[in-house]
Amino acid sequence: MRLIRVKDYEELSAVAARIIAAQVTLKPDCVLGLATGSSPEGTYKQLIAAYERGELDFSQVRTVNLDEYVGLEPTHDQSYAYFMRDRLFDHINIDLKNTNIPDGMNPDPAAECARYDALIHSLGGIDLQLLGIGPNGHIGFNEPGEAFSLGTQQIELTASTREANKRFFASLDDVPTHARTTGTREIMQARRVLLVASGANKAQAVKGLLSGPVTPHMPCSILQYHPDCIVVADEAALSAV
Ligand code: GLP
Protein backbone atom coordinates (compact mmCIF):
# COMPACT_ATOMS: atom_id res chain seq x y z
CA MET A 1 0.00 0.00 0.00
CA ARG A 2 1.33 3.40 -0.93
CA LEU A 3 0.24 6.39 1.17
CA ILE A 4 0.28 9.88 -0.30
CA ARG A 5 -0.16 12.45 2.45
CA VAL A 6 -1.74 15.70 1.35
CA LYS A 7 -2.67 18.87 3.17
CA ASP A 8 -6.33 19.17 2.34
CA TYR A 9 -9.21 18.16 0.08
CA GLU A 10 -8.08 20.40 -2.75
CA GLU A 11 -4.65 18.82 -2.94
CA LEU A 12 -6.20 15.36 -2.55
CA SER A 13 -8.45 15.98 -5.54
CA ALA A 14 -5.58 17.23 -7.69
CA VAL A 15 -3.34 14.26 -6.83
CA ALA A 16 -6.10 11.68 -7.40
CA ALA A 17 -7.10 13.26 -10.71
CA ARG A 18 -3.49 13.11 -11.93
CA ILE A 19 -3.33 9.38 -11.18
CA ILE A 20 -6.58 8.78 -13.09
CA ALA A 21 -5.42 11.02 -15.93
CA ALA A 22 -2.25 8.96 -16.25
CA GLN A 23 -4.35 5.80 -16.50
CA VAL A 24 -6.58 7.26 -19.23
CA THR A 25 -3.60 8.60 -21.15
CA LEU A 26 -1.66 5.34 -21.05
CA LYS A 27 -4.68 3.15 -21.87
CA PRO A 28 -7.38 5.18 -23.64
CA ASP A 29 -9.89 2.31 -23.53
CA CYS A 30 -9.26 1.51 -19.87
CA VAL A 31 -11.96 0.34 -17.49
CA LEU A 32 -12.39 2.75 -14.60
CA GLY A 33 -14.22 1.66 -11.48
CA LEU A 34 -15.92 4.79 -10.20
CA ALA A 35 -17.30 5.89 -6.85
CA THR A 36 -19.82 8.39 -5.60
CA GLY A 37 -20.05 10.45 -2.44
CA SER A 38 -18.39 13.69 -1.49
CA SER A 39 -14.86 12.21 -1.45
CA PRO A 40 -14.41 11.86 -5.25
CA GLU A 41 -16.37 14.99 -6.24
CA GLY A 42 -13.29 17.22 -6.29
CA THR A 43 -11.39 14.61 -8.27
CA TYR A 44 -14.15 14.63 -10.89
CA LYS A 45 -14.00 18.43 -11.06
CA GLN A 46 -10.27 18.24 -11.73
CA LEU A 47 -10.80 15.62 -14.45
CA ILE A 48 -13.41 17.85 -16.10
CA ALA A 49 -10.98 20.76 -15.99
CA ALA A 50 -8.25 18.63 -17.59
CA TYR A 51 -10.71 17.56 -20.29
CA GLU A 52 -11.67 21.19 -20.95
CA ARG A 53 -7.99 22.08 -21.31
CA GLY A 54 -7.80 19.43 -24.01
CA GLU A 55 -5.54 17.16 -21.98
CA LEU A 56 -7.82 14.13 -21.69
CA ASP A 57 -9.94 12.10 -24.07
CA PHE A 58 -12.62 9.86 -22.54
CA SER A 59 -14.15 8.72 -25.84
CA GLN A 60 -12.99 5.13 -25.44
CA VAL A 61 -13.06 4.86 -21.63
CA ARG A 62 -15.41 2.30 -20.09
CA THR A 63 -16.70 2.73 -16.54
CA VAL A 64 -18.32 0.56 -13.91
CA ASN A 65 -19.67 2.21 -10.83
CA LEU A 66 -19.46 0.57 -7.46
CA ASP A 67 -22.97 0.81 -6.20
CA GLU A 68 -26.52 2.11 -6.37
CA TYR A 69 -29.39 2.54 -3.95
CA VAL A 70 -32.32 0.15 -4.31
CA GLY A 71 -35.58 1.83 -5.28
CA LEU A 72 -34.29 5.10 -6.68
CA GLU A 73 -34.98 5.83 -10.35
CA PRO A 74 -31.90 6.96 -12.33
CA THR A 75 -33.63 10.35 -12.60
CA HIS A 76 -33.84 10.73 -8.78
CA ASP A 77 -31.35 13.40 -7.77
CA GLN A 78 -29.89 11.19 -5.03
CA SER A 79 -29.44 8.13 -7.22
CA TYR A 80 -25.84 7.37 -8.07
CA ALA A 81 -26.79 7.22 -11.76
CA TYR A 82 -27.86 10.87 -11.50
CA PHE A 83 -24.76 11.77 -9.46
CA MET A 84 -22.42 10.40 -12.11
CA ARG A 85 -24.06 12.28 -14.96
CA ASP A 86 -24.28 15.47 -12.93
CA ARG A 87 -20.74 15.41 -11.52
CA LEU A 88 -18.80 13.86 -14.41
CA PHE A 89 -20.35 12.18 -17.43
CA ASP A 90 -22.31 15.18 -18.75
CA HIS A 91 -19.15 17.28 -18.73
CA ILE A 92 -16.69 15.06 -20.62
CA ASN A 93 -16.72 13.26 -23.95
CA ILE A 94 -17.52 9.83 -22.54
CA ASP A 95 -19.97 7.67 -24.47
CA LEU A 96 -22.84 7.02 -22.03
CA LYS A 97 -23.19 3.57 -23.58
CA ASN A 98 -19.77 2.79 -22.08
CA THR A 99 -20.87 3.72 -18.57
CA ASN A 100 -22.37 1.19 -16.18
CA ILE A 101 -24.05 1.41 -12.81
CA PRO A 102 -25.94 -1.33 -10.96
CA ASP A 103 -29.67 -1.04 -11.65
CA GLY A 104 -31.40 -0.27 -8.38
CA MET A 105 -34.83 -0.67 -9.95
CA ASN A 106 -34.50 -4.19 -11.33
CA PRO A 107 -37.12 -6.15 -9.32
CA ASP A 108 -34.92 -9.26 -9.37
CA PRO A 109 -31.89 -8.54 -7.12
CA ALA A 110 -30.13 -11.85 -7.83
CA ALA A 111 -30.45 -11.44 -11.61
CA GLU A 112 -29.23 -7.85 -11.45
CA CYS A 113 -26.20 -8.73 -9.33
CA ALA A 114 -25.31 -11.67 -11.61
CA ARG A 115 -25.68 -9.39 -14.66
CA TYR A 116 -23.32 -6.86 -13.14
CA ASP A 117 -20.65 -9.42 -12.25
CA ALA A 118 -20.83 -10.84 -15.79
CA LEU A 119 -20.52 -7.33 -17.19
CA ILE A 120 -17.35 -6.58 -15.20
CA HIS A 121 -15.94 -9.91 -16.36
CA SER A 122 -16.85 -9.22 -20.00
CA LEU A 123 -14.99 -5.89 -19.83
CA GLY A 124 -11.85 -7.74 -18.80
CA GLY A 125 -11.91 -6.51 -15.21
CA ILE A 126 -11.19 -3.10 -13.75
CA ASP A 127 -7.93 -1.29 -14.49
CA LEU A 128 -8.28 1.40 -11.84
CA GLN A 129 -10.81 1.38 -9.04
CA LEU A 130 -11.47 4.74 -7.38
CA LEU A 131 -12.80 4.43 -3.83
CA GLY A 132 -14.06 6.67 -1.09
CA ILE A 133 -14.37 5.24 2.40
CA GLY A 134 -17.27 5.16 4.81
CA PRO A 135 -16.79 6.41 8.38
CA ASN A 136 -17.27 2.78 9.47
CA GLY A 137 -14.69 1.53 6.98
CA HIS A 138 -17.07 0.45 4.24
CA ILE A 139 -15.91 0.45 0.63
CA GLY A 140 -18.57 0.67 -2.03
CA PHE A 141 -21.48 -0.36 0.16
CA ASN A 142 -19.67 -3.36 1.60
CA GLU A 143 -20.64 -2.81 5.20
CA PRO A 144 -18.87 -4.29 8.25
CA GLY A 145 -19.90 -7.91 8.78
CA GLU A 146 -18.77 -11.45 9.46
CA ALA A 147 -17.21 -12.11 6.05
CA PHE A 148 -15.79 -10.25 3.08
CA SER A 149 -18.29 -10.13 0.23
CA LEU A 150 -17.83 -12.13 -2.96
CA GLY A 151 -19.63 -10.76 -5.98
CA THR A 152 -22.14 -7.99 -6.48
CA GLN A 153 -24.90 -8.23 -3.95
CA GLN A 154 -27.84 -6.49 -2.42
CA ILE A 155 -27.09 -5.38 1.10
CA GLU A 156 -28.99 -3.74 3.93
CA LEU A 157 -27.43 -0.41 4.85
CA THR A 158 -26.28 -0.10 8.44
CA ALA A 159 -27.98 2.45 10.65
CA SER A 160 -24.73 4.44 10.83
CA THR A 161 -24.40 4.64 7.03
CA ARG A 162 -28.01 5.74 6.62
CA GLU A 163 -27.39 8.34 9.31
CA ALA A 164 -24.17 9.48 7.54
CA ASN A 165 -25.96 9.78 4.19
CA LYS A 166 -29.15 11.39 5.44
CA ARG A 167 -27.62 14.84 4.82
CA PHE A 168 -28.40 14.30 1.14
CA PHE A 169 -32.10 13.48 1.72
CA ALA A 170 -35.05 15.36 3.13
CA SER A 171 -35.16 13.06 6.16
CA LEU A 172 -33.77 9.77 7.47
CA ASP A 173 -36.95 8.01 6.32
CA ASP A 174 -36.15 8.99 2.74
CA VAL A 175 -32.74 7.28 2.82
CA PRO A 176 -33.06 3.91 1.09
CA THR A 177 -32.65 0.88 3.33
CA HIS A 178 -30.85 -1.26 0.75
CA ALA A 179 -28.23 -0.89 -1.95
CA ARG A 180 -26.53 -3.03 -4.57
CA THR A 181 -22.77 -3.02 -4.50
CA THR A 182 -19.92 -4.75 -6.22
CA GLY A 183 -18.25 -7.11 -3.81
CA THR A 184 -15.00 -6.79 -1.93
CA ARG A 185 -13.67 -9.49 -4.25
CA GLU A 186 -14.31 -7.37 -7.35
CA ILE A 187 -12.58 -4.38 -5.71
CA MET A 188 -9.61 -6.57 -4.79
CA GLN A 189 -9.42 -7.90 -8.35
CA ALA A 190 -8.99 -4.39 -9.79
CA ARG A 191 -5.47 -4.03 -11.14
CA ARG A 192 -4.98 -0.77 -9.25
CA VAL A 193 -6.98 0.74 -6.38
CA LEU A 194 -7.00 4.45 -5.59
CA LEU A 195 -8.67 5.36 -2.30
CA VAL A 196 -9.27 8.97 -1.33
CA ALA A 197 -10.02 9.96 2.27
CA SER A 198 -10.64 13.43 3.60
CA GLY A 199 -11.78 14.80 6.93
CA ALA A 200 -11.66 13.91 10.59
CA ASN A 201 -14.80 11.75 10.39
CA LYS A 202 -12.76 9.26 8.35
CA ALA A 203 -9.86 9.09 10.81
CA GLN A 204 -10.84 5.82 12.50
CA ALA A 205 -11.57 4.14 9.18
CA VAL A 206 -8.22 5.32 7.79
CA LYS A 207 -6.48 3.96 10.86
CA GLY A 208 -8.12 0.58 10.24
CA LEU A 209 -7.23 0.81 6.56
CA LEU A 210 -3.55 1.52 7.13
CA SER A 211 -2.66 -0.28 10.30
CA GLY A 212 -5.61 -2.19 11.74
CA PRO A 213 -6.06 -5.94 11.68
CA VAL A 214 -7.47 -7.28 8.41
CA THR A 215 -11.04 -8.09 9.34
CA PRO A 216 -14.47 -7.93 7.69
CA HIS A 217 -15.55 -5.78 10.61
CA MET A 218 -13.40 -3.08 8.96
CA PRO A 219 -14.01 -3.86 5.25
CA CYS A 220 -11.35 -1.45 3.93
CA SER A 221 -8.63 -3.30 5.87
CA ILE A 222 -8.46 -6.02 3.18
CA LEU A 223 -6.80 -3.43 0.93
CA GLN A 224 -3.61 -4.05 2.93
CA TYR A 225 -3.35 -7.22 0.83
CA HIS A 226 -3.86 -5.47 -2.51
CA PRO A 227 -0.67 -5.47 -4.62
CA ASP A 228 -1.20 -1.97 -6.03
CA CYS A 229 -3.26 0.21 -3.71
CA ILE A 230 -2.65 3.95 -3.46
CA VAL A 231 -4.23 5.85 -0.57
CA VAL A 232 -4.45 9.63 -0.84
CA ALA A 233 -5.40 11.07 2.53
CA ASP A 234 -5.40 14.55 4.01
CA GLU A 235 -4.12 15.65 7.41
CA ALA A 236 -7.52 15.40 9.09
CA ALA A 237 -8.15 11.89 7.78
CA LEU A 238 -4.70 10.86 9.06
CA SER A 239 -5.21 12.40 12.49
CA ALA A 240 -5.68 9.04 14.26
CA VAL A 241 -2.76 7.24 12.63
C1 GLP B 1 -21.21 6.20 0.47
C2 GLP B 1 -20.77 5.38 -0.76
C3 GLP B 1 -19.32 5.03 -0.70
C4 GLP B 1 -18.57 6.24 -0.19
C5 GLP B 1 -18.92 6.49 1.25
C6 GLP B 1 -18.38 7.79 1.79
O1 GLP B 1 -22.29 5.72 1.13
N1 GLP B 1 -21.51 4.19 -1.04
O2 GLP B 1 -18.87 4.60 -1.97
O3 GLP B 1 -17.19 6.04 -0.28
O4 GLP B 1 -20.27 6.33 1.50
O5 GLP B 1 -19.07 8.87 1.32
P1 GLP B 1 -18.51 10.34 1.38
O6 GLP B 1 -17.38 10.36 0.40
O7 GLP B 1 -19.64 11.23 0.97
O8 GLP B 1 -18.04 10.57 2.75
Side-chain angles (χ1 to χ4, degrees), residues 187-217:
I187 294 170
M188 287 298 284
Q189 285 175 345
R191 287 180 268 283
R192 169 172 271 188
V193 172
L194 171 61
L195 186 147
V196 290
S198 174
N201 66 326
K202 304 294 174 69
Q204 287 307 318
V206 169
K207 186 177 179 190
L209 165 72
L210 297 176
S211 58
V214 174
T215 163
H217 295 289

Side-chain angles (χ1 to χ4, degrees), residues 61-63 94-100 119 123:
V61 170
R62 284 90 45 85
T63 67
I94 200 161
D95 184 343
L96 284 179
K97 288 199 287 296
N98 289 337
T99 67
N100 301 281
L119 170 84
L123 293 174

Side-chain angles (χ1 to χ4, degrees), residues 36-39 66-67 80 132-134 138 140-141 161 165 167 202:
T36 51
S38 45
S39 304
L66 280 167
D67 47 17
Y80 289 164
I133 187 170
H138 74 230
F141 265 135
T161 294
N165 288 3
R167 66 192 193 275
K202 304 294 174 69

